[in-house]
Amino acid sequence: MGKRINNIPIAGGNWSNSTTAGAFARNLNNYSTNSNNNVGAADSGPNLKSFTGILDHRDALSSDKRTRADSVNFSSLIVENLNQSPKQPKRVGYLYERTFTKESLYEAYLIARKGKRKKPACFEFELSIGAEIDALYEELSNGTYKPMPLHKFEVFEPKRRTIHAPHFRDLVVQHAIYKVIYPIFDSGFIDQSYACRKGGGTHKASDYTQAAMRTCDGELYYAKLDVRKFFYRIDRAILRKQFERKIKDKRFIDVMCAFVTTNEEIGIPIGNLLSQIYALVCLNDLDHFVKRELKIKKYVRYVDDFIAIGLTLEEAKDFKAKCEQFLKDNLNLELSHWTISKVRKGINFVGYRTWRSVKFVRRHSVAKFKKAVKRGDFNPVISLIGHAQHSATIVFYSHFLHKNNLLSNLPPRSKALCLSIINTHPLRTSTQH
């Protein structure tokens, strides 16, 4: 068994649910522009024809390339077989041996270290990379692997949350799992579920919402619902059954579930990479209920916030009541905040105040922007500019920086964006934020 270093580095997960959210970008410093720090849902994922199809691909390779191909290209082979097979079994098997090879663990390490090679967590692991990979492989092979205790701390942006950050070696294992299960579950997610998905993000969710509003009469209604303490109330037993619908490898599911074990009877930790896709899996049942049973055409969800748009008042009330009952009966969850209002009054969603004709960021984000500028702290300023660039608030931000002669403090890309806004919009519009 390989020797493993004693000082196990710790690394957190991505909770900056913006356009950069996802498995490969981790940022625990969540600025107030990021309105949702939770995740989404899943139901029916991809189906494999049979494992024989994948073995056929492997057998076509020369023997010296088989091991690496099995691990590195496994997820792509899954997708390829999905597209080829007219008769596909409902569940995927044989994942454990193919996911936890030395080659796949090393590939996962390369992903986990992106942008962090100078950080202690990554540096300490890399000092003994061979021994660390060998140790992980041996533990996973003989069934003795267990995640290290999570590092617990709190963040306060945009509100107080308890974060549980995994050790770096466990983050490597999570990336190996994530790479394999993402295509399995993602194909079963509806297109209007935008959180922590490739090609998703707050901007996409907001754009869809505004487009849906524009197709509706302003006198129609929308219903905006929110799950109470979503991550802390996820039923792990129900979550495991959702995994078992798509995966039949019990040992693999055991390792998947090892990362959501907590001292509480229910809930999964915020901070784990895998918690993002697990939350997507959890609420996808709700998405399919809304689309298939309730037949709601204009529906969008980001993490635990979801909206139905273009309803009559009675339809909006019925939507709220049926979703509330579904969550209680099927997922052991309940609603928290909810709003039923006319479309013309605007929707407050994913950090934007959105009307059919215009969009602004939330007022507290504008206040954060002003305070950060006055402090000379341009890291949050750049993040806030990125959040506002698809809204009318970017006009105010640009003129505010120009007025205070601070554009030169921005990186070239942000500076160019602000200058183009200033040249396009006259100063008289800068007060409309």
Side-chain angles (χ1 to χ4, degrees):
M1 177 174 175
K3 181 180 179 181
R4 178 163 56 85
I5 57 177
N6 294 324
N7 296 326
I8 304 299
I10 293 173
N14 168 28
W15 301 100
S16 65
N17 290 310
S18 65
T19 53
T20 58
F24 309 118
R26 297 184 292 109
N27 174 17
L28 296 176
N29 297 320
N30 203 346
Y31 298 117
S32 57
T33 54
N34 297 322
S35 60
N36 294 290
N37 286 44
N38 305 332
V39 201
D43 176 298
S44 53
N47 300 318
L48 275 178
K49 164 189 173 185
S50 69
F51 200 68
T52 306
I54 295 178
L55 291 178
D56 291 342
H57 282 276
R58 184 195 64 180
D59 293 339
L61 300 173
S62 59
S63 59
D64 60 329
K65 295 181 179 179
R66 287 179 183 175
T67 304
R68 182 173 180 83
D70 286 350
S71 60
V72 177
N73 297 324
F74 183 51
S75 59
S76 62
L77 291 179
I78 289 176
V79 177
E80 183 178 346
N81 276 267
L82 291 177
N83 295 331
Q84 294 176 351
S85 175
K87 296 181 180 179
Q88 302 162 356
K90 295 182 178 180
R91 300 194 297 163
V92 181
Y94 303 97
L95 293 181
Y96 195 93
E97 295 82 358
R98 290 180 167 273
T99 302
F100 301 130
T101 65
K102 292 183 180 180
E103 289 77 10
S104 66
L105 291 171
Y106 181 73
E107 291 289 332
Y109 157 71
L110 294 178
I111 297 171
R113 78 176 188 179
K114 286 183 178 179
K116 300 174 289 295
R117 296 197 68 182
K118 294 183 179 180
K119 295 186 176 181
C122 180
F123 180 74
E124 291 178 17
F125 188 90
E126 194 170 25
L127 283 176
S128 303
I129 181 65
E132 290 288 355
I133 296 296
D134 284 344
L136 284 174
Y137 173 73
E138 291 295 332
E139 292 171 25
L140 288 161
S141 296
N142 60 33
T144 60
Y145 171 78
K146 291 183 179 180
M148 303 289 289
L150 297 170
H151 175 60
K152 181 179 176 180
F153 60 97
E154 292 184 338
V155 296
F156 299 90
E157 292 284 358
K159 61 183 180 180
R160 182 176 179 177
R161 295 182 185 277
T162 301
I163 303 297
H164 295 83
H167 289 266
F168 190 83
R169 75 188 306 261
D170 297 323
L171 182 63
V172 170
V173 178
Q174 289 191 44
H175 271 287
I177 295 172
Y178 190 100
K179 183 178 180 180
V180 170
I181 68 173
Y182 183 88
I184 293 175
F185 289 108
D186 184 70
S187 66
F189 299 157
I190 67 170
D191 292 340
Q192 292 75 37
S193 173
Y194 288 100
C196 297
R197 293 179 67 189
K198 298 172 184 177
T202 55
H203 293 163
K204 291 290 182 65
S206 178
D207 290 345
Y208 175 87
T209 302
Q210 188 173 50
M213 294 171 69
R214 286 172 174 169
T215 64
C216 297
D217 187 319
E219 294 302 313
L220 289 175
Y221 288 79
Y222 71 88
K224 178 175 178 290
L225 313 180
D226 162 20
V227 179
R228 181 185 301 276
K229 296 183 178 179
F230 175 51
F231 275 86
Y232 304 110
R233 292 176 178 264
I234 290 178
D235 189 313
R236 296 194 294 272
I238 294 175
L239 184 64
R240 183 182 179 104
K241 291 180 180 178
Q242 291 173 317
F243 294 157
E244 291 172 347
R245 293 180 198 167
K246 307 307 300 178
I247 299 172
K248 59 183 178 181
D249 190 327
K250 181 181 181 298
R251 284 201 303 162
F252 189 77
I253 293 177
D254 287 342
V255 178
M256 289 176 63
C257 292
F259 292 104
V260 295
T261 301
T262 67
N263 294 328
E264 305 297 329
E265 293 184 1
I266 59 174
I268 65 176
I270 297 177
N272 267 331
L273 166 71
L274 289 175
S275 292
Q276 301 175 38
I277 192 169
Y278 290 178
L280 285 168
V281 171
C282 177
L283 280 185
N284 194 48
D285 286 359
L286 172 68
D287 292 340
H288 286 275
F289 170 73
V290 170
K291 299 298 287 186
R292 298 179 181 182
E293 301 296 327
L294 302 186
K295 307 295 184 182
I296 301 297
K297 294 182 178 180
K298 299 178 180 65
Y299 169 80
V300 58
R301 184 174 59 78
Y302 194 97
V303 192
D304 61 333
D305 292 336
F306 52 103
I307 310 174
I309 303 170
L311 310 176
T312 65
L313 180 57
E314 289 304 316
E315 288 173 338
K317 291 179 179 179
D318 184 63
F319 172 78
K320 184 257 181 183
K322 288 182 176 178
C323 286
E324 188 171 28
Q325 192 65 44
F326 180 88
L327 289 169
K328 179 181 178 181
D329 293 344
N330 296 276
L331 299 175
N332 197 23
L333 297 170
E334 59 185 29
L335 293 180
S336 177
H337 306 293
W338 57 272
T339 302
I340 295 177
S341 184
K342 290 185 176 181
V343 171
R344 65 175 175 80
K345 293 185 178 181
I347 300 177
N348 193 338
F349 182 54
V350 292
Y352 297 97
R353 297 171 290 146
T354 304
W355 289 264
R356 291 186 295 169
S357 60
V358 69
K359 183 193 306 182
F360 300 105
V361 303
R362 290 173 174 171
R363 295 186 183 278
H364 78 270
S365 295
V366 177
K368 290 285 186 180
F369 174 83
K370 291 180 178 180
K371 290 179 181 178
V373 169
K374 290 179 180 178
R375 294 195 310 267
D377 186 359
F378 279 85
N379 286 327
V381 168
I382 295 167
S383 175
L384 290 161
I385 289 174
H387 179 68
Q389 65 177 316
H390 299 288
S391 73
T393 308
I394 190 62
V395 178
F396 168 74
Y397 283 1
S398 300
H399 283 291
F400 185 86
L401 291 167
H402 180 64
K403 179 181 178 181
N404 291 278
N405 298 316
L406 295 172
L407 287 177
S408 59
N409 294 335
L410 297 176
R413 184 175 178 179
S414 297
K415 180 180 178 180
L417 171 64
C418 290
L419 287 174
S420 67
I421 296 296
I422 292 170
N423 293 332
T424 304
H425 298 272
L427 185 60
R428 59 185 173 82
T429 64
S430 65
T431 58
Q432 300 175 3
H433 61 277

Short mmCIF file of all heavy atoms in Angstrom, two decimals, residues 369-370 373-374 378 394-410 418-419 422 427-428 430-431 433:
data_model
loop_
_atom_site.label_atom_id
_atom_site.label_comp_id
_atom_site.label_asym_id
_atom_site.label_seq_id
_atom_site.Cartn_x
_atom_site.Cartn_y
_atom_site.Cartn_z
N PHE A 369 -21.95 47.15 -4.26
CA PHE A 369 -21.06 47.69 -5.28
C PHE A 369 -20.48 49.03 -4.82
O PHE A 369 -19.26 49.25 -4.89
CB PHE A 369 -21.84 47.88 -6.59
CG PHE A 369 -21.07 48.57 -7.67
CD1 PHE A 369 -20.19 47.85 -8.48
CD2 PHE A 369 -21.22 49.92 -7.89
CE1 PHE A 369 -19.47 48.49 -9.48
CE2 PHE A 369 -20.52 50.57 -8.89
CZ PHE A 369 -19.64 49.85 -9.69
N LYS A 370 -21.30 49.92 -4.33
CA LYS A 370 -20.83 51.23 -3.88
C LYS A 370 -19.84 51.11 -2.73
O LYS A 370 -18.81 51.78 -2.70
CB LYS A 370 -22.02 52.09 -3.46
CG LYS A 370 -22.93 52.52 -4.60
CD LYS A 370 -24.09 53.36 -4.07
CE LYS A 370 -24.99 53.83 -5.19
NZ LYS A 370 -26.12 54.64 -4.67
N VAL A 373 -16.47 49.76 -3.98
CA VAL A 373 -15.73 50.80 -4.71
C VAL A 373 -15.08 51.77 -3.72
O VAL A 373 -13.91 52.14 -3.86
CB VAL A 373 -16.66 51.55 -5.67
CG1 VAL A 373 -15.97 52.80 -6.22
CG2 VAL A 373 -17.07 50.65 -6.82
N LYS A 374 -15.81 52.18 -2.72
CA LYS A 374 -15.27 53.12 -1.73
C LYS A 374 -14.11 52.51 -0.95
O LYS A 374 -13.18 53.21 -0.56
CB LYS A 374 -16.39 53.56 -0.78
CG LYS A 374 -17.43 54.45 -1.45
CD LYS A 374 -18.53 54.85 -0.46
CE LYS A 374 -19.56 55.74 -1.13
NZ LYS A 374 -20.67 56.11 -0.21
N PHE A 378 -11.54 45.74 -5.45
CA PHE A 378 -12.04 45.57 -6.81
C PHE A 378 -12.32 44.12 -7.19
O PHE A 378 -12.84 43.87 -8.27
CB PHE A 378 -11.08 46.22 -7.81
CG PHE A 378 -11.29 47.71 -7.90
CD1 PHE A 378 -10.66 48.56 -7.01
CD2 PHE A 378 -12.14 48.24 -8.85
CE1 PHE A 378 -10.87 49.92 -7.08
CE2 PHE A 378 -12.35 49.61 -8.93
CZ PHE A 378 -11.72 50.45 -8.04
N ILE A 394 -25.95 47.88 -15.33
CA ILE A 394 -24.58 48.06 -15.79
C ILE A 394 -24.32 49.49 -16.23
O ILE A 394 -23.19 49.99 -16.15
CB ILE A 394 -24.26 47.07 -16.93
CG1 ILE A 394 -22.76 47.07 -17.25
CG2 ILE A 394 -25.09 47.37 -18.16
CD1 ILE A 394 -21.87 46.64 -16.12
N VAL A 395 -25.37 50.18 -16.68
CA VAL A 395 -25.22 51.59 -17.08
C VAL A 395 -24.83 52.44 -15.87
O VAL A 395 -23.91 53.26 -15.94
CB VAL A 395 -26.52 52.12 -17.71
CG1 VAL A 395 -26.38 53.59 -18.10
CG2 VAL A 395 -26.90 51.28 -18.92
N PHE A 396 -25.53 52.23 -14.76
CA PHE A 396 -25.21 52.97 -13.54
C PHE A 396 -23.80 52.64 -13.05
O PHE A 396 -23.02 53.53 -12.71
CB PHE A 396 -26.22 52.65 -12.45
CG PHE A 396 -25.81 53.13 -11.09
CD1 PHE A 396 -25.86 54.47 -10.78
CD2 PHE A 396 -25.32 52.25 -10.14
CE1 PHE A 396 -25.46 54.94 -9.54
CE2 PHE A 396 -24.92 52.68 -8.90
CZ PHE A 396 -25.00 54.04 -8.60
N TYR A 397 -23.44 51.35 -13.02
CA TYR A 397 -22.12 50.95 -12.57
C TYR A 397 -21.03 51.62 -13.41
O TYR A 397 -20.03 52.13 -12.87
CB TYR A 397 -21.96 49.43 -12.69
CG TYR A 397 -22.65 48.62 -11.61
CD1 TYR A 397 -23.39 49.22 -10.60
CD2 TYR A 397 -22.58 47.22 -11.61
CE1 TYR A 397 -24.03 48.47 -9.64
CE2 TYR A 397 -23.20 46.47 -10.64
CZ TYR A 397 -23.93 47.10 -9.66
OH TYR A 397 -24.55 46.34 -8.69
N SER A 398 -21.19 51.62 -14.71
CA SER A 398 -20.18 52.18 -15.60
C SER A 398 -19.99 53.66 -15.37
O SER A 398 -18.85 54.16 -15.25
CB SER A 398 -20.56 51.92 -17.07
OG SER A 398 -20.67 50.54 -17.32
N HIS A 399 -21.07 54.40 -15.29
CA HIS A 399 -20.97 55.84 -15.07
C HIS A 399 -20.47 56.17 -13.67
O HIS A 399 -19.76 57.17 -13.47
CB HIS A 399 -22.32 56.51 -15.32
CG HIS A 399 -22.64 56.67 -16.77
ND1 HIS A 399 -21.96 57.54 -17.59
CD2 HIS A 399 -23.56 56.05 -17.56
CE1 HIS A 399 -22.44 57.47 -18.82
NE2 HIS A 399 -23.41 56.57 -18.83
N PHE A 400 -20.82 55.34 -12.70
CA PHE A 400 -20.34 55.56 -11.33
C PHE A 400 -18.81 55.43 -11.28
O PHE A 400 -18.13 56.27 -10.67
CB PHE A 400 -20.98 54.55 -10.39
CG PHE A 400 -20.67 54.75 -8.94
CD1 PHE A 400 -21.42 55.62 -8.16
CD2 PHE A 400 -19.60 54.09 -8.34
CE1 PHE A 400 -21.11 55.81 -6.82
CE2 PHE A 400 -19.29 54.28 -7.01
CZ PHE A 400 -20.05 55.15 -6.24
N LEU A 401 -18.27 54.43 -11.92
CA LEU A 401 -16.82 54.25 -11.96
C LEU A 401 -16.15 55.35 -12.77
O LEU A 401 -15.08 55.86 -12.40
CB LEU A 401 -16.49 52.89 -12.57
CG LEU A 401 -16.85 51.67 -11.71
CD1 LEU A 401 -16.76 50.39 -12.54
CD2 LEU A 401 -15.93 51.56 -10.50
N HIS A 402 -16.78 55.73 -13.87
CA HIS A 402 -16.22 56.80 -14.70
C HIS A 402 -16.20 58.13 -13.95
O HIS A 402 -15.21 58.88 -14.00
CB HIS A 402 -17.04 56.93 -15.98
CG HIS A 402 -16.56 57.99 -16.92
ND1 HIS A 402 -15.32 57.96 -17.52
CD2 HIS A 402 -17.15 59.15 -17.34
CE1 HIS A 402 -15.16 59.02 -18.29
NE2 HIS A 402 -16.27 59.77 -18.19
N LYS A 403 -17.27 58.41 -13.25
CA LYS A 403 -17.38 59.67 -12.50
C LYS A 403 -16.31 59.76 -11.41
O LYS A 403 -15.79 60.85 -11.13
CB LYS A 403 -18.78 59.75 -11.87
CG LYS A 403 -19.01 61.00 -11.03
CD LYS A 403 -20.40 60.99 -10.43
CE LYS A 403 -20.63 62.20 -9.54
NZ LYS A 403 -21.99 62.18 -8.93
N ASN A 404 -15.96 58.63 -10.82
CA ASN A 404 -14.97 58.62 -9.74
C ASN A 404 -13.56 58.27 -10.22
O ASN A 404 -12.68 57.99 -9.40
CB ASN A 404 -15.40 57.61 -8.66
CG ASN A 404 -16.64 58.06 -7.91
OD1 ASN A 404 -16.56 58.86 -6.97
ND2 ASN A 404 -17.81 57.55 -8.31
N ASN A 405 -13.37 58.30 -11.56
CA ASN A 405 -12.05 58.06 -12.17
C ASN A 405 -11.43 56.73 -11.72
O ASN A 405 -10.25 56.65 -11.38
CB ASN A 405 -11.09 59.21 -11.84
CG ASN A 405 -11.56 60.53 -12.39
OD1 ASN A 405 -12.00 60.60 -13.54
ND2 ASN A 405 -11.49 61.58 -11.58
N LEU A 406 -12.25 55.67 -11.72
CA LEU A 406 -11.79 54.37 -11.23
C LEU A 406 -11.73 53.30 -12.32
O LEU A 406 -11.38 52.16 -12.03
CB LEU A 406 -12.72 53.90 -10.10
CG LEU A 406 -12.73 54.76 -8.84
CD1 LEU A 406 -13.81 54.30 -7.88
CD2 LEU A 406 -11.37 54.73 -8.16
N LEU A 407 -12.03 53.68 -13.54
CA LEU A 407 -12.02 52.69 -14.61
C LEU A 407 -10.63 52.09 -14.82
O LEU A 407 -10.49 50.92 -15.19
CB LEU A 407 -12.52 53.29 -15.92
CG LEU A 407 -14.03 53.56 -16.00
CD1 LEU A 407 -14.37 54.23 -17.33
CD2 LEU A 407 -14.81 52.27 -15.86
N SER A 408 -9.60 52.89 -14.59
CA SER A 408 -8.24 52.41 -14.80
C SER A 408 -7.85 51.32 -13.82
O SER A 408 -6.87 50.59 -14.04
CB SER A 408 -7.24 53.57 -14.69
OG SER A 408 -7.32 54.17 -13.40
N ASN A 409 -8.62 51.19 -12.72
CA ASN A 409 -8.31 50.16 -11.73
C ASN A 409 -8.87 48.78 -12.11
O ASN A 409 -8.58 47.79 -11.46
CB ASN A 409 -8.90 50.55 -10.37
CG ASN A 409 -8.23 51.78 -9.80
OD1 ASN A 409 -7.09 52.09 -10.12
ND2 ASN A 409 -8.96 52.51 -8.96
N LEU A 410 -9.67 48.74 -13.17
CA LEU A 410 -10.27 47.49 -13.59
C LEU A 410 -9.36 46.74 -14.55
O LEU A 410 -8.55 47.34 -15.24
CB LEU A 410 -11.61 47.76 -14.29
CG LEU A 410 -12.72 48.41 -13.46
CD1 LEU A 410 -13.93 48.70 -14.35
CD2 LEU A 410 -13.13 47.52 -12.30
N CYS A 418 -17.19 48.51 -19.57
CA CYS A 418 -17.75 49.75 -19.01
C CYS A 418 -17.63 50.91 -20.00
O CYS A 418 -18.56 51.71 -20.14
CB CYS A 418 -17.04 50.09 -17.70
SG CYS A 418 -17.43 48.96 -16.34
N LEU A 419 -16.52 51.01 -20.69
CA LEU A 419 -16.35 52.09 -21.67
C LEU A 419 -17.34 51.96 -22.82
O LEU A 419 -17.88 52.96 -23.30
CB LEU A 419 -14.92 52.09 -22.20
CG LEU A 419 -13.85 52.58 -21.24
CD1 LEU A 419 -12.45 52.40 -21.84
CD2 LEU A 419 -14.08 54.06 -20.88
N ILE A 422 -20.64 53.21 -21.53
CA ILE A 422 -20.65 54.67 -21.42
C ILE A 422 -20.82 55.32 -22.79
O ILE A 422 -21.56 56.31 -22.95
CB ILE A 422 -19.35 55.16 -20.75
CG1 ILE A 422 -19.32 54.71 -19.29
CG2 ILE A 422 -19.21 56.68 -20.85
CD1 ILE A 422 -17.99 54.93 -18.61
N LEU A 427 -25.32 59.91 -20.23
CA LEU A 427 -25.20 60.00 -18.77
C LEU A 427 -26.54 60.10 -18.08
O LEU A 427 -26.72 59.62 -16.97
CB LEU A 427 -24.33 61.21 -18.39
CG LEU A 427 -24.02 61.38 -16.90
CD1 LEU A 427 -23.28 60.16 -16.39
CD2 LEU A 427 -23.19 62.65 -16.66
N ARG A 428 -27.53 60.67 -18.74
CA ARG A 428 -28.85 60.85 -18.10
C ARG A 428 -29.50 59.52 -17.71
O ARG A 428 -30.40 59.49 -16.87
CB ARG A 428 -29.78 61.62 -19.01
CG ARG A 428 -30.02 60.95 -20.35
CD ARG A 428 -30.87 61.84 -21.27
NE ARG A 428 -30.96 61.29 -22.60
CZ ARG A 428 -31.83 60.33 -22.96
NH1 ARG A 428 -32.65 59.84 -22.04
NH2 ARG A 428 -31.88 59.88 -24.19
N SER A 430 -27.91 57.04 -16.31
CA SER A 430 -27.14 56.37 -15.27
C SER A 430 -27.83 56.33 -13.94
O SER A 430 -27.46 55.58 -13.04
CB SER A 430 -25.77 57.06 -15.10
OG SER A 430 -25.96 58.38 -14.63
N THR A 431 -28.89 57.15 -13.75
CA THR A 431 -29.61 57.13 -12.47
C THR A 431 -30.63 56.02 -12.40
O THR A 431 -31.21 55.77 -11.37
CB THR A 431 -30.31 58.47 -12.25
OG1 THR A 431 -31.21 58.71 -13.35
CG2 THR A 431 -29.31 59.60 -12.16
N HIS A 433 -31.05 52.76 -11.90
CA HIS A 433 -30.46 51.53 -11.44
C HIS A 433 -31.35 50.83 -10.43
O HIS A 433 -31.03 49.76 -9.98
CB HIS A 433 -29.09 51.78 -10.80
CG HIS A 433 -29.16 52.68 -9.61
ND1 HIS A 433 -29.18 54.05 -9.72
CD2 HIS A 433 -29.23 52.41 -8.28
CE1 HIS A 433 -29.25 54.59 -8.49
NE2 HIS A 433 -29.28 53.62 -7.61
#
